[in-house]
Amino acid sequence: MAVMGMVIYLRPLRKNFFEMTDRAKLFSRRGEVLAAEKKAILESIEEGVLTCDREGRITYLNSHAQTLLKLQNTSILSKKLDEVAASVESQLFFEMQRLFQRAKAEGERTRSLIALEKDGKVSLEMLAVPYAEGHGTCIVLRDRSNQKRMVEMGKEFIANASHELRTPITIIRGFAETLQDLQEISEEMFNSILGKIIRNCERMEILVKNLLTLADLDASSSLSMKECDLLSVVGSACYTMLNLAPKTHIEQLQNVDEAPILADGSMLELAIFNLLKNAVKYSPPPAQIKITILASEEVVEVQIEDQGMGIPEEEVSKIFDRFYTVDKSHSRQLGGAGLGLSIVKTIIDKHDGKIWATSNIGIGTTFHILLPRI
Ligand code: ADP
């Protein structure tokens, strides 16, 4: 009976033991899953993350932090921030150490933004967050260089646009005041002044239209892409060009009868038209233009070749920049402000294409566009 009793007594004990072991296994498994989950989260985020204990000893860093801190390996783990700062003599570690001390002393999250290169091109935001009543601190590193660059570019763009708009406004105002002040004026002079006012109004109109096109292109993440035939897109652009400059001579060569591509037809036509317009603008009249369309299995290339003034070799890489002109006063006379090619480049980029130019002074320029085929 006593033996039976023990058996009865031991059975639940044994059961409990196995249940506890199962539970312990489950907990340890859950712990592993949680740790793996935490690691996956920390590795997937854009920010660099580094943690330190109360003394500033580095306890963890994700691979993004390793990249931002330009570290080859994780040998800084379990070293103190100030020791690392002193050994690598890095401005970044000194700043991190300073931020860590401040966050620890104040007991609250502390932020700082530092420029890493002399010209301020690389800027990094650091956020130190103390946790567990100061037992540890988490330092988050964010690369802010792109945002800074975007803000700078935005400022530069507005300054350029205002400058380009101010010039025709000043001219129009000057001539309008001349007309107002003159008591008597010959018909010839009157017509000449009026012509200048109209030309500057047209210049402003082109500029505002180009600025709006760029703003639209920047705002829309994707264009409305449909299957269309590149040959008919080029044909429409030529038709518009010949209507504006009927004496222009356009020769077209192609190795296919149809070149179906995925494109925003009207935007692509605008890009081709801008290139044709430049070929006319920068060539002695009447312009001689050769268009070659070469389709292969994967891509189709459009070459637009003129026999115009050409572009100096050192300027060719810059002509696609916004507001860039090789000769400002010459471009202004022709009604341009350096936006035409940047619109072309933005459109081609949005089609996953490539564009570049080759040029010889006095001989001519060729623009090459590569577009993926369907
Ligand atoms: P713009 O309004 O001044 O024409 P673009 O952005 O269209 O501006 O072109 C930028 C610069 O590139 C022009 O100022 C011009 O100097 C040069 N350029 C563009 N296309 C040609 C060309 N076909 N031949 C010679 N120079 C060109």
Side-chain angles (χ1 to χ4, degrees):
M1 206 51 205
V3 174
M4 278 293 287
M6 237 171 85
V7 170
I8 290 162
Y9 182 69
L10 275 177
R11 258 199 200 135
L13 212 66
R14 205 165 148 244
K15 196 171 158 232
N16 276 355
F17 174 74
F18 283 120
E19 267 178 9
M20 271 164 68
T21 338
D22 281 351
R23 217 172 283 169
K25 272 190 199 152
L26 198 73
F27 274 129
S28 114
R29 180 87 198 104
R30 274 181 69 184
E32 278 169 28
V33 171
L34 277 175
E37 191 179 80
K38 194 176 109 189
K39 193 167 174 223
I41 293 171
L42 288 169
E43 285 301 327
S44 65
I45 57 174
E46 290 286 302
E47 285 84 6
V49 177
L50 180 143
T51 52
C52 305
D53 66 10
R54 180 188 281 281
E55 272 76 43
R57 214 175 287 281
I58 300 160
T59 49
Y60 169 81
L61 83 157
N62 67 357
S63 49
H64 209 73
Q66 210 176 308
T67 314
L68 287 172
L69 297 168
K70 294 191 172 65
L71 299 169
Q72 307 294 334
N73 49 45
T74 52
S75 60
I76 62 161
L77 279 176
S78 76
K79 289 187 182 148
K80 284 176 74 179
L81 269 178
D82 53 353
E83 284 167 16
V84 181
S87 68
V88 295
E89 285 190 12
S90 144
Q91 181 202 354
L92 231 155
F93 276 99
F94 279 118
E95 184 60 25
M96 233 168 8
Q97 160 71 4
R98 203 184 59 80
L99 203 69
F100 162 76
Q101 294 290 8
R102 245 180 74 198
K104 200 172 119 178
E106 291 167 15
E108 43 185 63
R109 54 172 57 207
T110 315
R111 194 183 295 269
S112 126
L113 189 67
I114 60 166
L116 286 180
E117 278 176 18
K118 279 198 188 83
D119 53 7
K121 271 192 187 147
V122 180
S123 83
L124 207 74
E125 185 187 358
M126 279 187 202
L127 175 71
V129 186
Y131 59 85
E133 288 156 10
H135 281 281
T137 301
C138 174
I139 299 176
V140 181
L141 307 165
R142 278 189 203 113
D143 190 347
R144 291 286 190 209
S145 317
N146 269 347
Q147 273 107 321
K148 199 170 170 208
R149 211 171 302 132
M150 296 292 276
V151 171
E152 295 300 327
M153 275 167 63
K155 278 188 202 161
E156 201 184 330
F157 185 80
I158 290 172
N160 278 322
S162 322
H163 179 75
E164 290 297 333
L165 279 169
R166 202 185 300 138
T167 316
I169 291 174
T170 313
I171 297 173
I172 292 168
R173 187 183 174 145
F175 283 125
E177 281 172 357
T178 309
L179 284 181
Q180 194 180 40
D181 293 348
L182 284 175
Q183 302 289 326
E184 274 179 36
I185 183 165
S186 69
E187 196 179 332
E188 192 189 347
M189 194 169 181
F190 180 79
N191 285 336
S192 152
I193 292 180
L194 219 55
K196 283 174 183 149
I197 292 179
I198 291 171
R199 254 201 316 283
N200 278 283
C201 285
E202 283 167 358
R203 206 175 124 193
M204 257 175 24
E205 214 176 296
I206 295 171
L207 184 67
V208 170
K209 202 169 138 202
N210 281 341
L211 287 171
L212 289 174
T213 307
L214 268 180
D216 275 355
L217 283 168
D218 284 347
S220 58
S221 54
S222 61
L223 302 175
S224 72
M225 308 291 245
K226 284 195 196 97
E227 185 178 330
C228 56
D229 180 18
L230 182 61
L231 298 186
S232 51
V233 172
V234 172
S236 302
C238 289
Y239 179 79
T240 318
M241 191 66 249
L242 287 170
N243 264 331
L244 286 174
K247 290 196 176 132
T248 306
H249 181 258
I250 304 180
E251 179 193 0
Q252 189 168 325
L253 302 172
Q254 62 217 34
N255 68 348
V256 279
D257 292 332
E258 240 187 12
I261 56 161
L262 207 58
D264 184 319
S266 58
M267 278 297 160
L268 200 57
E269 188 181 323
L270 175 67
I272 306 282
F273 174 72
N274 276 1
L275 294 177
L276 293 175
K277 199 170 65 183
N278 276 357
V280 171
K281 261 181 11 182
Y282 298 104
S283 293
Q288 307 289 319
I289 305 173
K290 186 166 136 195
I291 302 178
T292 313
I293 300 171
L294 296 171
S296 67
E297 231 171 73
E298 293 190 346
V299 289
V300 50
E301 180 175 357
V302 184
Q303 296 171 3
I304 297 176
E305 186 181 339
D306 65 50
Q307 296 173 16
M309 58 193 286
I311 304 165
E313 202 184 327
E314 63 282 6
E315 314 260 357
V316 175
S317 60
K318 302 178 208 157
I319 55 171
F320 296 101
D321 294 351
R322 291 178 182 191
F323 294 105
Y324 192 84
T325 51
V326 174
D327 180 343
K328 191 122 257 164
S329 66
H330 185 216
S331 280
R332 276 198 185 143
Q333 270 171 18
L334 301 172
L339 288 178
L341 286 183
S342 60
I343 291 177
V344 177
K345 170 102 172 71
T346 313
I347 294 173
I348 301 300
D349 283 350
K350 291 209 171 226
H351 282 83
D352 293 328
K354 284 198 181 85
I355 180 163
W356 71 97
T358 47
S359 189
N360 282 306
I361 288 287
I363 294 177
T365 305
T366 306
F367 283 89
H368 306 253
I369 299 175
L370 268 192
L371 291 166
R373 285 194 76 169
I374 292 179

